[in-house]
Amino acid sequence: MRSLIDIAELSLQEIDSLIATANDIIDNPKKYADKCRGKKLATLFFEPSTRTRLSFEAAMYELGGNVLGFSEAQSSSAAKGESIADTAKTVSCYADIIAMRHPKEGAPLVASMNASIPVINAGDGGHNHPTQTLADLLTIKREKGSFDNLTVGLCGDLKFGRTVHSLINALRRYKNVKFVLISPTELRIPEYIRESLKKDNFEVVETTDLEAAMSDLDILYMTRVQRERFFNEEEYLRLKDSYILTTEKLANAKQDLSILHPLPRVNEISVAIDNDPRACYFKQVLNGKYMRMALILMLLGVE
Ligand code: CP
């Protein structure tokens, strides 16, 4: 039995295989309509979500399975003090696979150590979000054809941005990837990630200036400054509009730039950009469902 807590647990061959399955689902959805008949996915969401929870649920329904779960901690027995370990043991009696989101880093790992069914990390605090990365990877592959030789700009909250941490962890395994890390000083990438990239001799540029970096980028991964990760409201208000991508700021961008965002967006990308052919963030949303379908099939061992 296997869980997915960190994107690095998947080999490059497994990522290729998940992408191949997702592409086949896109081309032949009917082939997959009964693959999980009789199986149940439990979505245990202790933190708000639109895309991740609903795409997991849509994924399981489109595989012919069923879904149960909760969408906030207050409607579960966590509100009465139940531990993650006991919740995981309990849900193992009802479901075949768990997708868990939790505000505390490491909670899905604890669940996986106590569950008798696979656990998927659907986002743990400011740590990791491996299935968002699967959505990102399918999007990059479909837009660019390859993960090699890309200059990837990551912009916004790089400190608490779990999608950023997981995406760097995935892309660092491909050839000649250059990272441009664009953030306010207060929201720089965590030291352990910076040091690890340096140790492995990656070309990394850190800057506060999005416009100056723009012309080099093949991918621009925008992120939201996350109110829920701040202890201090004033600090959030000061930093929240650090980067707002507008049509004018794309003046020097490559014609084949791909603009990604894990969403939700607050106002860091102007809605005017939604109609630009380089905007990929709603494609990412759909790709997330297909990659979660592929992942569920893999973890349940369905042929
Ligand atoms: N990208 C993402 O995790 O979105 P939600 O918070 O809506 O699930």
Side-chain angles (χ1 to χ4, degrees):
M1 186 201 66
R2 186 169 173 198
S3 291
L4 179 67
I5 304 302
D6 186 317
I7 193 71
E9 293 161 15
L10 294 171
S11 67
L12 295 187
Q13 289 80 359
E14 285 172 324
I15 287 175
D16 283 348
S17 168
L18 288 169
I19 289 174
T21 303
N23 280 324
D24 195 46
I25 294 169
I26 292 168
D27 293 340
N28 306 290
K30 283 191 185 147
K31 208 169 108 183
Y32 293 86
D34 281 316
K35 292 280 185 190
C36 286
R37 187 72 61 206
K39 301 281 187 196
K40 283 173 279 177
L41 165 75
T43 51
L44 312 184
F45 276 60
F46 296 85
E47 197 184 58
S49 167
T50 295
R51 275 145 296 274
T52 310
R53 186 172 65 84
L54 297 185
S55 69
F56 263 117
E57 296 188 357
M60 196 50 159
Y61 284 127
E62 289 186 30
L63 292 167
N66 287 298
V67 172
L68 65 164
F70 52 82
S71 58
E72 54 179 350
Q74 279 310 107
S75 63
S76 77
S77 284
K80 298 180 238 169
E82 186 164 58
S83 68
I84 292 293
D86 286 359
T87 301
K89 285 178 189 161
T90 300
V91 176
S92 298
C93 301
Y94 308 140
D96 299 285
I97 187 165
I98 291 171
M100 175 184 280
R101 170 169 290 187
H102 202 285
K104 287 213 174 108
E105 288 82 357
L109 175 63
V110 172
S112 72
M113 291 161 69
N114 288 277
S116 56
I117 58 176
V119 175
I120 302 170
N121 178 3
D124 62 329
H127 191 214
N128 279 319
H129 195 347
T131 64
Q132 178 61 49
T133 301
L134 293 177
D136 303 340
L137 292 177
L138 178 60
T139 308
I140 293 170
K141 185 74 177 199
R142 287 176 75 88
E143 296 300 313
K144 296 287 176 212
S146 166
F147 300 115
D148 297 332
N149 305 312
L150 293 174
T151 298
V152 181
L154 300 119
C155 178
D157 177 2
L158 308 189
K159 181 178 180 181
F160 301 114
R162 59 193 174 197
T163 62
V164 167
H165 306 161
S166 286
L167 184 58
I168 290 175
N169 235 352
L171 289 178
R172 65 182 297 163
R173 295 193 286 173
Y174 296 95
K175 290 193 194 86
N176 194 30
V177 175
K178 178 178 164 187
F179 294 105
V180 183
L181 306 175
I182 308 150
S183 72
T185 314
E186 295 85 343
L187 297 177
R188 285 175 74 195
I189 201 84
E191 183 73 14
Y192 77 94
I193 297 178
R194 181 184 307 106
E195 287 309 312
S196 162
L197 290 173
K198 264 195 211 158
K199 188 169 127 301
D200 289 348
N201 295 318
F202 275 91
E203 202 176 335
V204 179
V205 174
E206 278 194 273
T207 177
T208 55
D209 191 340
L210 172 60
E211 280 170 275
M214 189 67 82
S215 61
D216 287 336
L217 306 179
D218 300 302
I219 307 280
L220 172 57
Y221 195 88
M222 293 295 293
T223 62
R224 172 177 66 99
V225 174
Q226 304 169 93
R227 178 178 235 139
E228 65 272 29
R229 306 278 176 242
F230 281 79
F231 293 111
N232 178 336
E233 178 73 1
E234 269 175 35
E235 183 81 338
Y236 165 72
L237 293 173
R238 192 171 63 78
L239 295 173
K240 74 183 177 67
D241 292 328
S242 299
Y243 301 100
I244 300 178
L245 186 64
T246 58
T247 309
E248 296 71 44
K249 288 185 185 154
L250 285 174
N252 295 325
K254 291 183 181 175
Q255 281 311 307
D256 65 347
L257 171 72
S258 296
I259 305 166
L260 278 70
H261 190 314
L263 305 179
R265 154 177 65 184
V266 181
N267 59 351
E268 56 281 352
I269 301 182
S270 155
V271 291
I273 292 177
D274 296 1
N275 295 323
D276 188 306
R278 293 170 288 188
C280 297
Y281 28 95
F282 289 107
K283 291 182 194 172
Q284 258 172 293
V285 171
L286 187 56
N287 289 337
K289 181 185 72 174
Y290 295 124
M291 284 303 262
R292 289 178 178 113
M293 289 172 80
L295 180 66
I296 290 168
L297 291 171
M298 186 184 123
L299 295 181
L300 288 179
V302 177
E303 288 295 314

Short mmCIF file of all heavy atoms in Angstrom, two decimals, residues 45 47-54 101 122 129 132 162-163 224 261-264 292, ligand 1:
data_model
loop_
_atom_site.label_atom_id
_atom_site.label_comp_id
_atom_site.label_asym_id
_atom_site.label_seq_id
_atom_site.Cartn_x
_atom_site.Cartn_y
_atom_site.Cartn_z
N PHE A 45 -10.98 17.44 4.62
CA PHE A 45 -10.44 18.78 4.43
C PHE A 45 -10.64 19.60 5.70
O PHE A 45 -11.75 19.98 6.04
CB PHE A 45 -11.08 19.45 3.20
CG PHE A 45 -10.37 19.05 1.92
CD1 PHE A 45 -10.30 17.71 1.55
CD2 PHE A 45 -9.73 19.99 1.14
CE1 PHE A 45 -9.62 17.32 0.40
CE2 PHE A 45 -9.04 19.61 -0.01
CZ PHE A 45 -8.99 18.29 -0.38
N GLU A 47 -9.16 22.44 6.07
CA GLU A 47 -8.82 23.80 5.64
C GLU A 47 -9.60 24.07 4.35
O GLU A 47 -9.84 23.14 3.58
CB GLU A 47 -7.30 23.85 5.35
CG GLU A 47 -6.72 25.22 5.31
CD GLU A 47 -5.25 25.20 4.92
OE1 GLU A 47 -4.91 24.69 3.84
OE2 GLU A 47 -4.45 25.72 5.69
N PRO A 48 -10.00 25.33 4.08
CA PRO A 48 -10.84 25.60 2.90
C PRO A 48 -10.20 25.18 1.57
O PRO A 48 -8.97 25.18 1.43
CB PRO A 48 -11.02 27.12 2.94
CG PRO A 48 -10.78 27.51 4.35
CD PRO A 48 -9.76 26.55 4.88
N SER A 49 -11.05 24.84 0.63
CA SER A 49 -10.60 24.46 -0.71
C SER A 49 -11.78 24.54 -1.66
O SER A 49 -12.91 24.22 -1.29
CB SER A 49 -10.07 23.02 -0.69
OG SER A 49 -9.90 22.53 -2.00
N THR A 50 -11.52 24.94 -2.89
CA THR A 50 -12.50 24.78 -3.97
C THR A 50 -11.97 23.73 -4.95
O THR A 50 -12.56 22.66 -5.13
CB THR A 50 -12.77 26.11 -4.69
OG1 THR A 50 -13.37 27.00 -3.75
CG2 THR A 50 -13.70 25.93 -5.88
N ARG A 51 -10.83 24.04 -5.58
CA ARG A 51 -10.31 23.18 -6.64
C ARG A 51 -9.90 21.78 -6.18
O ARG A 51 -10.29 20.78 -6.78
CB ARG A 51 -9.05 23.80 -7.30
CG ARG A 51 -9.31 24.77 -8.39
CD ARG A 51 -8.26 25.85 -8.34
NE ARG A 51 -8.42 26.56 -7.11
CZ ARG A 51 -9.29 27.57 -6.96
NH1 ARG A 51 -9.95 28.00 -7.98
NH2 ARG A 51 -9.44 28.16 -5.80
N THR A 52 -9.10 21.72 -5.13
CA THR A 52 -8.50 20.42 -4.79
C THR A 52 -9.57 19.43 -4.35
O THR A 52 -9.64 18.30 -4.84
CB THR A 52 -7.43 20.60 -3.70
OG1 THR A 52 -6.56 21.66 -4.10
CG2 THR A 52 -6.62 19.33 -3.50
N ARG A 53 -10.45 19.87 -3.45
CA ARG A 53 -11.48 18.94 -2.97
C ARG A 53 -12.46 18.58 -4.09
O ARG A 53 -12.73 17.40 -4.33
CB ARG A 53 -12.25 19.55 -1.79
CG ARG A 53 -13.24 18.56 -1.16
CD ARG A 53 -13.85 19.10 0.11
NE ARG A 53 -14.68 20.26 -0.09
CZ ARG A 53 -15.97 20.23 -0.46
NH1 ARG A 53 -16.57 19.08 -0.68
NH2 ARG A 53 -16.64 21.35 -0.61
N LEU A 54 -12.95 19.59 -4.81
CA LEU A 54 -13.94 19.29 -5.84
C LEU A 54 -13.33 18.51 -7.00
O LEU A 54 -14.00 17.67 -7.62
CB LEU A 54 -14.62 20.57 -6.32
CG LEU A 54 -15.44 21.31 -5.24
CD1 LEU A 54 -16.17 22.50 -5.84
CD2 LEU A 54 -16.43 20.40 -4.54
N ARG A 101 -6.40 17.46 3.42
CA ARG A 101 -5.79 18.80 3.53
C ARG A 101 -5.84 19.20 4.99
O ARG A 101 -6.86 19.00 5.67
CB ARG A 101 -6.54 19.82 2.69
CG ARG A 101 -6.08 21.25 2.99
CD ARG A 101 -6.60 22.24 2.00
NE ARG A 101 -5.95 22.05 0.71
CZ ARG A 101 -6.13 22.87 -0.32
NH1 ARG A 101 -6.91 23.93 -0.22
NH2 ARG A 101 -5.51 22.65 -1.47
N ALA A 122 -3.28 16.57 0.26
CA ALA A 122 -3.97 17.56 -0.58
C ALA A 122 -3.60 18.98 -0.16
O ALA A 122 -4.34 19.93 -0.42
CB ALA A 122 -5.47 17.33 -0.50
N HIS A 129 2.27 20.49 -1.61
CA HIS A 129 0.96 20.30 -2.26
C HIS A 129 1.22 19.47 -3.52
O HIS A 129 1.16 19.97 -4.65
CB HIS A 129 0.37 21.66 -2.60
CG HIS A 129 -1.09 21.65 -2.95
ND1 HIS A 129 -1.80 20.49 -3.24
CD2 HIS A 129 -1.97 22.68 -3.10
CE1 HIS A 129 -3.06 20.82 -3.53
NE2 HIS A 129 -3.18 22.13 -3.44
N GLN A 132 -1.22 19.45 -6.62
CA GLN A 132 -1.19 20.68 -7.40
C GLN A 132 0.00 20.62 -8.37
O GLN A 132 -0.10 21.01 -9.53
CB GLN A 132 -1.08 21.91 -6.50
CG GLN A 132 -1.00 23.22 -7.26
CD GLN A 132 -2.24 23.49 -8.11
OE1 GLN A 132 -3.35 23.37 -7.62
NE2 GLN A 132 -2.06 23.84 -9.39
N ARG A 162 3.09 26.55 -0.52
CA ARG A 162 3.35 25.09 -0.62
C ARG A 162 3.38 24.62 -2.07
O ARG A 162 4.09 23.68 -2.41
CB ARG A 162 2.31 24.32 0.19
CG ARG A 162 0.86 24.54 -0.24
CD ARG A 162 -0.10 24.01 0.81
NE ARG A 162 -1.48 24.33 0.50
CZ ARG A 162 -2.48 24.28 1.38
NH1 ARG A 162 -2.23 23.95 2.64
NH2 ARG A 162 -3.71 24.55 1.04
N THR A 163 2.62 25.30 -2.95
CA THR A 163 2.64 24.89 -4.36
C THR A 163 4.01 25.17 -4.97
O THR A 163 4.49 24.40 -5.79
CB THR A 163 1.55 25.63 -5.16
OG1 THR A 163 1.81 27.03 -5.12
CG2 THR A 163 0.16 25.36 -4.60
N ARG A 224 -0.53 33.71 -4.80
CA ARG A 224 -1.24 34.66 -3.93
C ARG A 224 -0.45 34.88 -2.64
O ARG A 224 0.16 33.93 -2.12
CB ARG A 224 -2.59 33.99 -3.60
CG ARG A 224 -3.47 34.62 -2.59
CD ARG A 224 -4.78 33.82 -2.48
NE ARG A 224 -4.61 32.48 -1.96
CZ ARG A 224 -4.82 32.10 -0.70
NH1 ARG A 224 -5.23 32.98 0.19
NH2 ARG A 224 -4.65 30.86 -0.32
N HIS A 261 -0.89 29.70 -12.41
CA HIS A 261 -1.25 30.14 -11.05
C HIS A 261 -2.04 28.98 -10.45
O HIS A 261 -2.97 28.48 -11.09
CB HIS A 261 -2.10 31.42 -11.11
CG HIS A 261 -2.34 32.10 -9.79
ND1 HIS A 261 -2.71 31.41 -8.65
CD2 HIS A 261 -2.25 33.40 -9.41
CE1 HIS A 261 -2.84 32.26 -7.64
NE2 HIS A 261 -2.56 33.48 -8.07
N PRO A 262 -1.71 28.55 -9.24
CA PRO A 262 -2.46 27.42 -8.67
C PRO A 262 -3.90 27.81 -8.33
O PRO A 262 -4.74 26.92 -8.16
CB PRO A 262 -1.66 27.06 -7.41
CG PRO A 262 -0.92 28.32 -7.04
CD PRO A 262 -0.63 29.02 -8.34
N LEU A 263 -4.16 29.12 -8.21
CA LEU A 263 -5.45 29.65 -7.78
C LEU A 263 -5.75 29.18 -6.35
O LEU A 263 -5.19 28.19 -5.92
CB LEU A 263 -6.57 29.27 -8.75
CG LEU A 263 -6.34 29.66 -10.23
CD1 LEU A 263 -7.52 29.20 -11.08
CD2 LEU A 263 -6.13 31.16 -10.38
N PRO A 264 -6.57 29.84 -5.56
CA PRO A 264 -7.38 30.98 -5.94
C PRO A 264 -6.54 32.25 -6.16
O PRO A 264 -5.52 32.45 -5.52
CB PRO A 264 -8.32 31.16 -4.73
CG PRO A 264 -7.54 30.62 -3.57
CD PRO A 264 -6.75 29.47 -4.12
N ARG A 292 -5.41 13.82 -10.95
CA ARG A 292 -5.90 13.17 -9.72
C ARG A 292 -6.58 11.85 -10.08
O ARG A 292 -6.47 10.88 -9.33
CB ARG A 292 -6.81 14.13 -8.95
CG ARG A 292 -5.98 15.26 -8.33
CD ARG A 292 -6.76 16.29 -7.57
NE ARG A 292 -5.83 17.26 -7.00
CZ ARG A 292 -5.72 18.55 -7.36
NH1 ARG A 292 -6.54 19.07 -8.26
NH2 ARG A 292 -4.81 19.33 -6.82
N1 CP B 1 -4.86 25.24 -5.86
C1 CP B 1 -5.57 24.94 -4.76
O1 CP B 1 -5.11 24.20 -3.88
O2 CP B 1 -6.83 25.48 -4.72
P1 CP B 1 -7.88 25.26 -3.56
O3 CP B 1 -7.30 25.85 -2.30
O4 CP B 1 -9.15 25.91 -4.01
O5 CP B 1 -8.04 23.76 -3.38
#
